Amino acid sequence: MSDHASIQQEHPQHWETSIWPLIMAVGILVALPLGFTFKFAYNQPLAAVLCLGVGVPLIIAAVAGWVNEAITGGEGLSAPAMGWFILAEAMIFVSFFASYWYMRLTAPDWPPGGTPELPVVLPLVMTTALVASSLTFHAGEVMLGRGDRGRFVAWLVVTMLLGSAFIGMSLYEWAHLFGQGFNFETNAYSTVFYTITGFHGAHVAVGLGIFLAMLVPALSRRTNDGFVRTAGVYWHFVDIVWLFVVSQVYYW
Amino acid sequence: MNVLKEWIFTTDHKRVGILYLIGSLAAFAVAGIVAMLIRIEHTTIGPTITNNPHDYNVWLYFHGAAMILGFQIPVLTGYFANYCVPLMIGAKDVAFPRLNALSVWLFYAGIVLALATFVMPDPPDVLWTGYPPYSTITSGNTAFYTFTVLLIGFASILGGVNFLTTIAFMRAPGITWNKLNVFVWSIFAAFVLQLIFVPVLGSAVTLITFDKYLGTTFFDPTKGGDVLTYQNLFWFYSHPAVYVIFLPFIGIVYEILATFAKNRVFNYKMVVYGGFGGIVLLTGEVWVHHLYVSGMADWIRVGQMVTTLLISVPVGLVVIGLVGTLYKGAITFQTPMLYALGTLFLFLIGGLTGIPLAVASLTIHLSDTYYVVGHFHYVMAVAGTFAIFGGIYYYFPKMTGRMYNETVGKLGFWITFIGTNVVFWTMMDIGVKGMPRRYFDYAHFPQFEFAHQIMTVGALFIGLGFALAIFNWIHGALKGEKAPDNPWGSKSLEWTTATPPPSGNWKEIPKVAEDWHPYAYGNR
Ligand code: HEM
Ligand SMILES: [Cu+2]
């Protein structure tokens, strides 16, 4: 064994490096904790905007650089790893729902005073859009499996449009409810409504970001099957969670 | 310059591990100094080194949060997991090296936020538990508390994803599940727990920040919220968290005991499946024992008492395995072994003194006294730290290629060991007699002043002993003798690499013999 060691010393070895993880961590630190704190704790919107202005580009650069490095190498175990990640994600939703159920079941009356009529049709449309986007993504995956990159890109774009439409409708609804005086502080129902739909919406947004990170290299004919499958697992998960959100928060 | 670049941009699991080690030891050092401040403050009744009770709250916050979230969890699931798991399973690296680097830098981001405590005008002052309603109305910066937890928690979730995948898919041919090192199993179990429970903590602390800054009403009873929701969510994570710490540290103790006793691990399958498996299954069912005095129906108290006591069964299996591993071994007492045995001793005291706390009728008197503080320092805080220090000594030659000084190592151990028992035994003693915890000024309990003075002296001993160990490492890393590849004569795979292990660990993926086993000392 010790001769092994001496060989190693004669030839300086090559250590693997990547700059992007560090960049991403710095971006996250500046954009989220510092941005949030300046805005909401210290009431300094300008400083908060500055934090976002520095942090968000760093995050975007890191995602782009990272994808660029990884897409050819192929981290082949990412789909099973996504399974573990989803376990963790599911637990976040479980704790939000648990807080919600606890509040609701111990409340003297529900919905509490100050709650306006919630829209009935819009959530149905949103549900349709999201479920459809899962199907269109799957269609894209099938196309990629057949080696048809062009159709894959087309279905991917359709998926992204559906996802964006979902977010658009969600924002419209929030704005509408805010207009009726139903905001974060109104009552227990508004608290869970905004927390749960907001948190789910953030997941949709992250999913769209992942798709974008896939779309850009795909346009220059670079795709990675493992990456696509992993993103799909995540997207289907976000879709399924929505079914819980819609049934518990809107229609119960 | 190039060397620096190869370190801060590294994706190699060993270097990521060492970055974790440096960050978490820094957190340990600062949190340790703060502990000394707390102890010195209590040397006299009334103000001693600060007039401001608020400072005291900030210290308690920093000490607790940094020790648990900044030191113990990262050093165990960050440093030890990174350094040892790939080497033990014969892999060239973890499954996702870049993700691994992201984890360590997110952890550093969390440390930066935590350290901001000492420079910002409104540091968090919510203890490590962050209970509302205080945390949602204090003038301290609760958002920094929340984000510290979120950053380190997110790092840990990514680590979990990475290591569970690595252990499941990247074992070298021939290394079956039943031939994994006990430490690898302990990391597997700890990360399963992290993945299930950290998100719940993340939600809890996020909701207090929403309540405080965005005006939501989760914990505001006047608007339909309930503070007990927070306590439940918080302890739903934080009871399992003690096992996230316990499992890896006991895994390290297993490695050390087997090597220095030159003995097989006693009852391997019982320890892994019965002990670790049982802990994973039961640990999510007992959190309510932290709420015994918060108010609940009697039947819940009784149920929780039963599940809590039931956990002693798998924990007992783990302890029996340790003792059995020593039985008829050819034991030698180098520094790592002393620390490992110290852990066993401290854990036994801590575990036994936990039983009265599990019994609802007794804990109503003991809760919120120094007895609890003494108990959990024995069982988790110092037992864990002894295992961690033993583990660092154990892997020191592999990691640095040099030896530490054995005499200084032993001296440091004994000084800390004596200091520990002086401090925490005294704590339990005055706790039983009625000394409440978390008091800035104990003017109502003048009878305990002398005990507090003894504890302050003991705490200085603890600090001195740990400082000696850290000095020993720095000195050894720079000036120590060259270390052989396998100084302890272990059979485990991590010792078959060159010292220190090169990039990629082995030239080729190692092949193990049919009858190979990490503990095959010829007496199975
Ligand atoms: C061996 C069996 C154990 C039993 C029966 C037990 C029981 C308990 C109980 C009932 C409490 C709540 C006391 C109160 O406030 O009323 C408690 C507190 C605590 N225990 Fe344990 N425990 C055990 C093992 C452990 C282990 C292994 C660890 C860590 C590795 C640990 C760490 C803690 C901590 C940190 C607290 C303090 C929580 C606070 O801030 O209030 N315990 N223990
Ligand atoms: Cu507990």
Side-chain angles (χ1 to χ4, degrees), chain B residues 160-357:
Chain B
V161 167
N162 213 338
F163 277 94
L164 294 180
T165 312
T166 305
I167 296 170
F169 294 102
M170 298 187 49
R171 285 168 285 122
I175 304 190
T176 57
W177 288 101
N178 284 332
K179 289 183 175 183
L180 286 180
N181 287 66
V182 174
F183 177 71
V184 176
W185 270 114
S186 74
I187 286 294
F188 194 85
F191 270 128
V192 169
L193 293 181
Q194 284 288 77
L195 280 185
I196 297 176
F197 295 103
V198 167
V200 181
L201 173 72
S203 314
V205 299
T206 304
L207 298 184
I208 51 174
T209 279
F210 281 5
D211 265 19
K212 177 161 188 202
Y213 298 103
L214 305 182
T216 55
T217 65
F218 283 102
F219 311 125
D220 179 355
T222 62
K223 289 188 175 171
D226 191 336
V227 290
L228 283 182
T229 317
Y230 182 84
Q231 296 190 12
N232 278 294
L233 291 176
F234 182 85
W235 286 110
F236 189 65
Y237 167 73
S238 294
H239 182 81
V242 304
Y243 290 97
V244 169
I245 293 168
F246 169 72
L247 287 163
F249 88 58
I250 221 68
I252 293 169
V253 172
Y254 266 102
E255 300 303 327
I256 297 176
L257 288 198
T259 296
F260 288 95
K262 295 281 171 296
N263 212 348
R264 85 281 175 254
V265 163
F266 177 71
N267 244 352
Y268 175 94
K269 287 188 182 159
M270 210 56 190
V271 170
V272 167
Y273 299 110
F276 293 0
I279 287 173
V280 170
L281 288 183
L282 286 176
T283 191
E285 281 87 50
V286 302
W287 78 92
V288 178
H289 65 218
H290 294 271
L291 280 70
Y292 277 151
V293 295
S294 303
M296 68 182 80
D298 279 344
W299 63 269
I300 303 182
R301 278 213 188 88
V302 175
Q304 284 292 309
M305 206 169 112
V306 173
T307 50
T308 302
L309 289 171
L310 219 59
I311 286 235
S312 5
V313 175
V315 172
L317 288 176
V318 171
V319 173
I320 291 170
L322 284 175
V323 177
T325 304
L326 291 173
Y327 182 66
K328 286 192 175 168
I331 303 177
T332 50
F333 294 96
Q334 280 96 326
T335 309
M337 186 63 164
L338 288 184
Y339 275 102
L341 294 173
T343 307
L344 188 57
F345 175 84
L346 298 169
F347 183 75
L348 279 178
I349 295 187
L352 293 175
T353 55
I355 293 173
L357 289 175

Side-chain angles (χ1 to χ4, degrees), chain A residues 1-9 13-26 28-29 32-38 40-42 65-66 68-71 73-96 98-100 102-104 106-108 110 112 183-196 199, chain B residues 5-12 14-15 93 95-102 105-106 109-110 112-113 120-122 141 143-144 147 151 154 157-158 160-162 164-166 168-170 188 192 194-197 199-201 203-204 206-207 209-211 213-218 223-226 228-229 232-233 236 482 485 495-507:
Chain A
M1 282 303 158
S2 52
D3 49 17
H4 190 159
S6 57
I7 296 174
Q8 291 294 346
Q9 267 149 17
Q13 15 169 343
H14 169 74
W15 291 89
E16 298 293 334
T17 57
S18 170
I19 188 173
W20 305 116
L22 177 58
I23 302 274
M24 174 145 0
V26 174
I28 291 176
L29 173 67
L32 294 177
L34 298 188
F36 182 95
T37 310
F38 277 122
F40 294 105
Y42 298 139
W66 190 319
N68 190 34
E69 273 178 15
I71 201 150
E75 305 194 346
L77 292 171
S78 54
M82 183 50 87
W84 290 114
F85 188 67
I86 282 177
L87 171 66
E89 288 270 38
M91 287 307 293
I92 304 186
F93 284 102
V94 167
S95 23
F96 283 177
S99 316
Y100 165 42
Y102 183 74
M103 275 211 260
R104 174 156 188 171
T106 57
W110 195 270
N183 55 32
F184 297 153
E185 309 174 19
T186 307
N187 57 29
Y189 189 44
S190 71
T191 289
V192 290
F193 176 82
Y194 287 112
T195 307
I196 293 180
F199 193 68
Chain B
K5 234 178 68 189
E6 275 183 350
W7 275 94
I8 61 173
F9 299 147
T10 190
T11 58
D12 182 272
K14 302 180 290 297
R15 293 191 156 188
D93 209 315
F96 308 106
R98 287 187 201 83
L99 206 59
N100 205 18
L102 177 61
W105 291 119
L106 287 174
V112 168
L113 284 193
M120 62 202 291
D122 57 343
N141 191 333
F144 263 44
F147 280 110
L151 287 169
F154 192 45
I157 288 177
L158 296 181
V161 167
N162 213 338
L164 294 180
T165 312
T166 305
F169 294 102
M170 298 187 49
F188 194 85
V192 169
Q194 284 288 77
L195 280 185
I196 297 176
F197 295 103
V200 181
L201 173 72
S203 314
T206 304
L207 298 184
T209 279
F210 281 5
D211 265 19
Y213 298 103
L214 305 182
T216 55
T217 65
F218 283 102
K223 289 188 175 171
D226 191 336
L228 283 182
T229 317
N232 278 294
L233 291 176
F236 189 65
K482 283 255 176 296
D485 283 352
W495 299 98
T496 64
T497 59
T499 287
S503 169
N505 300 343
W506 291 273
K507 285 231 168 69

Side-chain angles (χ1 to χ4, degrees), chain B residues 335-388:
Chain B
T335 309
M337 186 63 164
L338 288 184
Y339 275 102
L341 294 173
T343 307
L344 188 57
F345 175 84
L346 298 169
F347 183 75
L348 279 178
I349 295 187
L352 293 175
T353 55
I355 293 173
L357 289 175
V359 180
S361 53
L362 289 172
T363 204
I364 290 196
H365 303 286
L366 295 171
S367 189
D368 283 322
T369 68
Y370 262 73
Y371 182 83
V372 175
V373 186
H375 152 70
F376 74 72
H377 278 85
Y378 264 108
V379 85
M380 172 181 77
V382 280
T385 306
F386 270 60
I388 289 162

Side-chain angles (χ1 to χ4, degrees), chain B residues 378-406:
Chain B
Y378 264 108
V379 85
M380 172 181 77
V382 280
T385 306
F386 270 60
I388 289 162
F389 272 57
I392 296 174
Y393 270 119
Y394 182 59
Y395 286 111
F396 187 85
K398 175 90 331 197
M399 201 165 46
T400 61
R402 294 177 186 274
M403 294 304 284
Y404 59 84
N405 182 309
E406 197 59 62

